[in-house]
Amino acid sequence: MKALIKNIQTRLATLTDLKYVDEDWGQLDYFSPNFPVQWPCVLIDITNAEYSNIGRDKKVIPIERQQAEAVFSFTVANLKLTNTSAKAPVTQKDNAWSIWDLIEEIHKKLQGFNPEVYAGKLIRTGCVRVKRDDGVQEYTITYSCGLNDV
């Protein structure tokens, strides 16, 4: 699993608009107002993996082989310091909506990406807004992929 996260991190780090790409260890949960991130950021986590047995192979250890379906979550966050009201200046609105451009760029990097030789391609499965009261605009996008012989 570590290799999957590292390879995804390396891929996302090529996006110049992202200032911080890391494994999610709670950076946005307990540190307000001094978050240990730079904005905008994406935090990577494996939130669930369902395993099933697929047989035995006495030539490897462990001999019981498995497949898994893993769910990855990508928390995309930015400080939203301006509004998007209808009467706001266009440049102000563009800055306030920039997280959507970033989410689209992240999707272009992740959709169909094969993060490791034993893994299938990442496929987007969901997006949810996280409501906050501290000025952070946060969305969690989920992707899944199959894993073999893990």
Side-chain angles (χ1 to χ4, degrees), residues 2-48:
K2 177 175 77 173
L4 295 167
I5 292 174
K6 287 174 68 175
N7 291 341
I8 291 168
Q9 180 185 36
T10 299
R11 186 166 180 91
L12 291 178
T14 63
L15 293 172
T16 56
D17 288 341
L18 276 174
K19 303 300 181 214
Y20 185 86
V21 181
D22 196 2
E23 182 178 17
D24 189 343
W25 48 265
Q27 297 95 315
L28 302 180
D29 298 335
Y30 308 111
F31 296 97
S32 181
N34 299 311
F35 299 100
V37 301
Q38 293 179 332
W39 307 105
C41 68
V42 64
L43 304 174
I44 307 162
D45 201 1
I46 299 173
T47 55
N48 189 42

Side-chain angles (χ1 to χ4, degrees), residues 15-146:
L15 293 172
T16 56
D17 288 341
L18 276 174
K19 303 300 181 214
Y20 185 86
V21 181
D22 196 2
E23 182 178 17
D24 189 343
W25 48 265
Q27 297 95 315
L28 302 180
D29 298 335
Y30 308 111
F31 296 97
S32 181
N34 299 311
F35 299 100
V37 301
Q38 293 179 332
W39 307 105
C41 68
V42 64
L43 304 174
I44 307 162
D45 201 1
I46 299 173
T47 55
N48 189 42
E50 298 282 333
Y51 293 89
S52 62
N53 289 328
I54 59 172
R56 303 178 105 196
D57 184 347
K58 293 180 182 181
K59 296 178 244 162
V60 295
I61 296 175
I63 61 174
E64 298 293 338
R65 308 314 292 160
Q66 293 186 304
Q67 281 185 324
E69 183 74 18
V71 177
F72 292 81
S73 68
F74 297 89
T75 299
V76 182
N78 198 10
L79 280 178
K80 187 168 182 172
L81 303 175
T82 59
N83 70 60
T84 53
S85 72
K87 301 223 180 212
V90 172
T91 54
Q92 180 178 319
K93 290 196 296 191
D94 288 345
N95 286 337
W97 281 330
S98 66
I99 195 166
W100 293 108
D101 297 328
L102 186 56
I103 288 171
E104 184 60 28
E105 291 304 310
I106 290 168
H107 177 66
K108 288 176 185 176
K109 287 286 186 182
L110 294 179
Q111 180 73 10
F113 174 58
N114 187 311
E116 186 60 71
V117 293
Y118 61 85
K121 295 178 179 183
L122 290 170
I123 304 298
R124 182 173 53 188
T125 58
C127 178
V128 64
R129 177 178 168 230
V130 178
K131 283 193 163 199
R132 302 181 62 103
D133 62 2
D134 57 5
V136 174
Q137 187 177 24
E138 180 179 339
Y139 291 88
T140 301
I141 297 94
T142 54
Y143 287 76
S144 68
C145 82

